[in-house]
Amino acid sequence: MKLFKNLFRSLPTLLAPKIQNCLSCHRAIHRSNNHNAVLGIPHTDAMVRALRRSTNPFHDLCDTCLHSMPWIRSIRCPVCGRATGCPDCSRRGKDHTYFQQNRSAVAYSPQMRDWLAAYKYRGDERYLPLLGSMLLTAYYQLCGEQTRDNMPVKYDCITYVPVSPSRLQERGFNQAEQFARTLHAYTGIPVIALLQRNRHTVKQSMKSRGDRIEDMKDVFSLHIDSRQQLFSKLNLNHMTAQTQLRPIRILLIDDVYTTGSTVNACAKSLSELSNDLNTSILISSLTWARS
């Protein structure tokens, strides 16, 4: 009898909905069952369909944090995707810019800096699905801008900015690679490690613009088997000579775009593939945040 009484007393707790705390502010999330967790987020129908195929990571945020995300909704610089004027692209010039354009999901606000630090430096893996899914907004924005015959262009592969062995050992992962693989899970575009880092560099956030550019010289090069990987994963061996003339489109992934020196250095190395493949290489970059 006592067992049944205890069970009866515990029924309200057992039947009550489980309280979920916000990933960011840790406050309890109070949300109706029909709440659309992409409300207020720049999205397309394709993005909504992609999110429905998996657990929607935006459900891990409360409404306050969800609506405080600094999405980049308007583009002023067509090259780097900055919402304000950009002197870096003007200084570099078209002749020394090796990528077509960059698009970023959010501005690098203090809140976004905290989110990235929680994942990148403190190893809180709960942030990966959220940050990777945020990159989807930049991806679909890019697809919407790049059209051919009134159809969005298709990318042949995704690659990412490599880190040095010492940095990889320190963190245990490459955040750019993880973002790339999250994007692959949504889009199905193959991920290929096309680049290698030739030497370790100190954190770019601690340097001036001139120091960044100088420090990026000869840091990256093509991976020793990059050509073979492209031929294998993209079935280039089976293409006709006429088909091989079409450009190969590559998406380059990184976490934060500041001056563009890292992205540009990687794109310069990737462009060298055009000589090996006897076709043009078109490189666009996606970064999670734009500082």
Side-chain angles (χ1 to χ4, degrees):
M1 182 64 68
K2 185 177 180 180
L3 176 63
F4 286 106
K5 287 182 178 179
N6 291 336
L7 180 61
F8 182 77
R9 291 194 189 100
S10 64
L11 276 178
T13 302
L14 294 173
L15 297 177
K18 184 178 180 181
I19 297 176
Q20 180 183 359
N21 292 328
C22 176
L23 177 64
S24 176
C25 69
H26 309 297
R27 291 192 291 263
I29 297 176
H30 301 286
R31 184 177 291 147
S32 61
N33 291 331
N34 61 353
H35 184 278
N36 185 356
V38 295
L39 187 65
I41 296 172
H43 63 275
T44 63
D45 292 341
M47 178 177 172
V48 173
R49 288 194 297 270
L51 290 173
R52 283 175 179 168
R53 289 195 293 268
S54 62
T55 302
N56 188 340
F58 294 108
H59 281 121
D60 294 333
L61 298 177
C62 67
D63 285 348
T64 300
C65 292
L66 195 62
H67 291 284
S68 66
M69 297 164 74
W71 297 106
I72 298 178
R73 298 177 183 272
S74 60
I75 302 299
R76 183 168 178 180
C77 178
V79 178
C80 71
R82 196 173 185 179
T84 58
C86 178
D88 294 315
C89 293
S90 300
R91 291 173 185 169
R92 187 167 53 237
K94 292 183 178 180
D95 293 339
H96 298 284
T97 300
Y98 298 93
F99 60 98
Q100 288 188 294
Q101 68 264 93
N102 171 78
R103 291 297 177 263
S104 305
V106 291
Y108 199 39
S109 66
Q111 182 189 31
M112 297 298 100
R113 189 178 295 112
D114 290 342
W115 288 11
L116 183 62
Y119 169 64
K120 186 175 177 179
Y121 302 120
R122 297 194 291 276
D124 192 340
E125 295 182 355
R126 296 176 301 167
Y127 277 91
L128 175 58
L130 174 63
L131 303 184
S133 297
M134 290 167 68
L135 197 64
L136 265 183
T137 64
Y139 169 74
Y140 284 115
Q141 182 180 46
L142 186 62
C143 289
E145 293 179 22
Q146 291 190 340
T147 59
R148 185 177 54 193
D149 299 327
N150 295 322
M151 293 292 292
V153 300
K154 294 183 179 180
Y155 293 92
D156 294 289
C157 72
I158 299 171
T159 194
Y160 50 87
V161 176
V163 297
S164 64
S166 59
R167 189 64 52 78
L168 186 62
Q169 184 176 15
E170 174 190 339
R171 293 179 189 159
F173 60 91
N174 176 357
Q175 71 282 353
E177 179 182 1
Q178 299 288 6
F179 290 173
R181 298 199 180 282
T182 301
L183 191 62
H184 159 75
Y186 284 120
T187 65
I189 303 172
V191 177
I192 308 177
L194 296 175
L195 295 166
Q196 62 185 14
R197 184 180 284 261
N198 300 322
R199 56 183 169 84
H200 179 75
T201 57
V202 299
K203 295 177 182 178
Q204 297 298 300
S205 59
M206 304 171 63
K207 301 174 185 176
S208 66
R209 177 185 179 277
D211 290 339
R212 288 170 188 256
I213 295 173
E214 186 65 28
D215 200 37
M216 283 295 106
K217 289 182 178 179
D218 303 320
V219 169
F220 305 105
S221 62
L222 290 174
H223 200 280
I224 190 170
D225 62 348
S226 58
R227 182 179 181 275
Q228 181 181 351
Q229 288 193 72
L230 273 176
F231 266 78
S232 174
K233 293 200 175 186
L234 304 185
N235 294 320
L236 296 182
N237 288 320
H238 303 291
M239 287 184 172
T240 65
Q242 183 179 2
T243 308
Q244 283 188 349
L245 293 176
R246 73 165 179 81
I248 293 178
R249 297 180 180 271
I250 299 175
L251 272 178
L252 173 65
I253 307 298
D254 202 7
D255 52 1
V256 181
Y257 186 112
T258 304
T259 64
S261 55
T262 299
V263 165
N264 201 45
C266 288
K268 182 179 181 181
S269 295
L270 289 171
S271 65
E272 296 173 6
L273 284 166
S274 61
N275 297 325
D276 295 332
L277 302 175
N278 195 28
T279 187
S280 58
I281 303 294
L282 301 180
I283 303 150
S284 297
S285 68
L286 292 179
T287 51
W288 170 72
R290 179 68 170 88
S291 67

